[in-house]
């Protein structure tokens, strides 16, 4: 394997090295942020939860006035990109990140449609690269989260939009204060999600909870898989609200996303959690999630 190998890109069906990939300057995603994306886990060479991701992708495309790609063709392109990544890297990585970006096509005009009926042809950009996931230290010790007001556009919360500017600003401000990530709270002081992941917590009875998706945080596919796994493992789950004034009442919490899986949280603002005491329960949560990774 080339020591400089970084991954594979597939642009509208054409494969190339990730470092050599190019898009036109007229791409609407580049010009206006007119694009949506999905990040999928590829486990041992197999794409996880394709149907769920494609369904959310369709919703995002419809809401963003982007022409959605053909499901079968997109799956073929995605799998070809995964296979090419395995070929170029020389091995099947345990965890691989597959990012699919659908942009509104090519146009320097702010208006989307050329006429009143037809959406322009979209651009499909697929990136596949090997990743390590969270470090063992992150998993055993936990990460630190800084609470910040959620000032993102409410209309974009349910859309997997590439417009991540406020998330990036919040993440960097959290790091400036020696935290690992930012944790958003809404106008009612209720915690919703982090900049890149859903948020879960559990009480003294080990009931797992998370904030409801609708209008508050992105409908996380990995969290949905976890809920199914928890039911099979006979661990209680419930939708709930966590006010930042009540953080001290929480026994433990974590963030959850496709690539990182479940990462325990050891601190939110000044509140600290004993991740070591509940390490076995975090392991049960991870096992419940992994049981649904098919």
């Amino acid at each position: 394997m080339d020591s400089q190998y970084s991954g594979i890109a597939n642009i509208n069906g054409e494969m190339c090295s990730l470092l050599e990939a190019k898009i036109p300057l007229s791409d609407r995603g580049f010009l206006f942020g007119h694009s949506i994306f999905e990040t999928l886990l590829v486990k041992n060479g197999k794409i996880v939860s394709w149907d769920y991701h494609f369904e959310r992708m369709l919703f995002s495309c419809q809401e963003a006035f982007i022409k959605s790609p053909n499901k079968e063709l997109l799956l073929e392109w995605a799998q070809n990109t995964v296979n090419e990544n395995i070929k170029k890297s020389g091995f099947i990585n345990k965890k691989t990140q597959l990012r699919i970006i659908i942009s509104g096509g090519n146009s320097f005009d702010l208006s989307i449609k050329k006429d009143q009926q037809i959406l322009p042809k979209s651009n499909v950009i697929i990136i596949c690269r090997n990743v390590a996931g969270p470090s063992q230290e992150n998993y055993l010790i936990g990460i630190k989260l800084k609470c910040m007001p959620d000032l993102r556009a409410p209309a974009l919360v349910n859309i997997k939009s590439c417009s991540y500017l406020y998330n990036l600003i919040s993440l960097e401000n959290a790091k400036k204060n020696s935290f690992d990530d930012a944790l958003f709270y809404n106008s009612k002081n209720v915690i919703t999600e982090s900049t890149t992941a859903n948020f879960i917590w559990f009480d003294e009875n080990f009931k797992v909870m998370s904030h409801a998706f609708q209008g508050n945080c992105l409908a996380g596919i990995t969290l949905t898989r976890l809920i199914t796994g928890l039911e099979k493992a006979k661990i209680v789950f419930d939708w709930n609200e966590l006010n930042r004034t009540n953080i001290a009442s929480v026994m433990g919490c974590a963030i959850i996303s496709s690539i990182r899986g479940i990462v325990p949280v050891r601190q939110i603002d000044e509140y600290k959690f004993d991740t070591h005491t509940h390490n076995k329960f975090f392991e049960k949560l991870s096992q419940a999630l992994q049981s649904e990774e098919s």
Side-chain angles (χ1 to χ4, degrees):
M1 182 188 71
D2 186 348
S3 60
Q4 299 300 313
Y5 177 74
S6 59
I8 291 294
N10 184 330
I11 302 177
N12 294 324
E14 297 295 325
M15 213 84 69
C16 63
S17 164
L18 184 56
L19 293 179
E20 297 174 353
K22 298 178 178 64
I23 60 170
L25 294 179
S26 58
D27 179 79
R28 294 183 59 83
F30 171 74
L31 288 173
F32 308 117
H34 185 208
S35 53
I36 62 96
F37 77 99
E38 287 288 326
T39 301
L40 297 84
L41 170 65
V42 180
K43 190 172 183 181
N44 298 319
K46 296 183 179 181
I47 300 173
V48 175
S49 299
W50 170 261
D51 289 333
Y52 289 107
H53 280 283
F54 187 80
E55 182 179 345
R56 188 170 66 178
M57 185 185 300
L58 277 183
F59 173 81
S60 294
C61 283
Q62 291 166 0
E63 293 295 304
F65 296 96
I66 295 175
K67 186 174 182 179
S68 57
N70 175 272
K71 182 178 182 179
E72 288 72 25
L73 179 60
L74 184 62
L75 178 56
E76 179 183 337
W77 284 356
Q79 190 61 62
N80 287 345
T81 309
V82 170
N83 294 343
E84 187 68 11
N85 179 69
I86 293 172
K87 179 181 176 181
K88 293 295 185 183
S89 60
F91 62 94
I92 299 176
N93 202 48
K94 183 178 179 181
K95 278 191 176 184
T96 302
Q97 182 193 72
L98 186 70
R99 175 160 295 198
I100 301 177
I101 302 167
I102 314 294
S103 85
N106 300 319
S107 172
F108 287 97
D109 298 327
L110 186 60
S111 59
I112 299 173
K113 295 181 181 180
K114 293 296 183 183
D115 55 47
Q116 296 302 309
Q117 300 299 325
I118 303 173
L119 290 173
K121 181 181 178 181
S122 57
N123 286 327
V124 178
I125 302 164
I126 305 175
I127 298 170
C128 187
R129 62 190 189 93
N130 297 328
V131 293
S135 67
Q136 189 70 5
E137 180 182 6
N138 278 157
Y139 189 79
L140 293 176
I141 299 176
I143 61 173
K144 297 166 58 180
L145 302 178
K146 175 70 175 174
C147 285
M148 293 190 180
D150 190 352
L151 302 179
R152 298 171 297 174
L156 295 180
V157 169
N158 289 323
I159 302 174
K160 193 74 172 175
S161 165
C162 290
S163 301
Y164 257 50
L165 182 57
Y166 184 69
N167 296 58
L168 296 175
I169 293 172
S170 300
L171 176 59
E172 290 308 311
N173 282 331
K175 289 184 175 180
K176 280 170 56 178
N177 288 280
S178 300
F179 287 82
D180 299 297
D181 199 351
L183 187 63
F184 291 134
Y185 62 90
N186 62 23
S187 59
K188 296 180 180 179
N189 233 15
V190 172
I191 291 173
T192 54
E193 60 186 347
S194 79
T195 62
T196 57
N198 286 126
F199 177 74
I200 61 173
W201 70 92
F202 54 88
D203 62 14
E204 68 277 5
N205 298 314
F206 295 100
K207 180 170 75 171
V208 181
M209 291 166 275
S210 185
H211 197 290
F213 295 145
Q214 292 87 355
N216 299 289
C217 50
L218 185 72
I221 291 170
T222 307
L223 176 54
T224 301
R225 291 206 320 269
L226 173 64
I227 294 170
T228 302
L230 292 177
E231 182 179 356
K232 293 178 180 179
K234 300 188 184 305
I235 297 174
V236 178
F237 174 86
D238 193 16
W239 299 108
N240 211 327
E241 291 187 351
L242 176 63
N243 195 290
R244 20 188 329 244
T245 60
N246 298 328
I247 292 176
S249 64
V250 171
M251 293 297 293
C253 51
I255 60 170
I256 174 171
S257 63
S258 58
I259 304 301
R260 288 175 292 179
I262 296 171
V263 181
V265 173
R266 77 172 186 268
Q267 184 175 341
I268 299 177
D269 291 339
E270 69 271 25
Y271 301 104
K272 296 182 179 180
F273 303 94
D274 184 359
T275 56
H276 177 74
T277 298
H278 302 300
N279 186 49
K280 292 295 183 182
F281 187 67
F282 283 120
E283 288 181 4
K284 286 184 179 180
L285 296 182
S286 292
Q287 290 168 2
L289 176 60
Q290 290 169 12
S291 70
E292 298 302 307
E293 290 181 349
S294 60

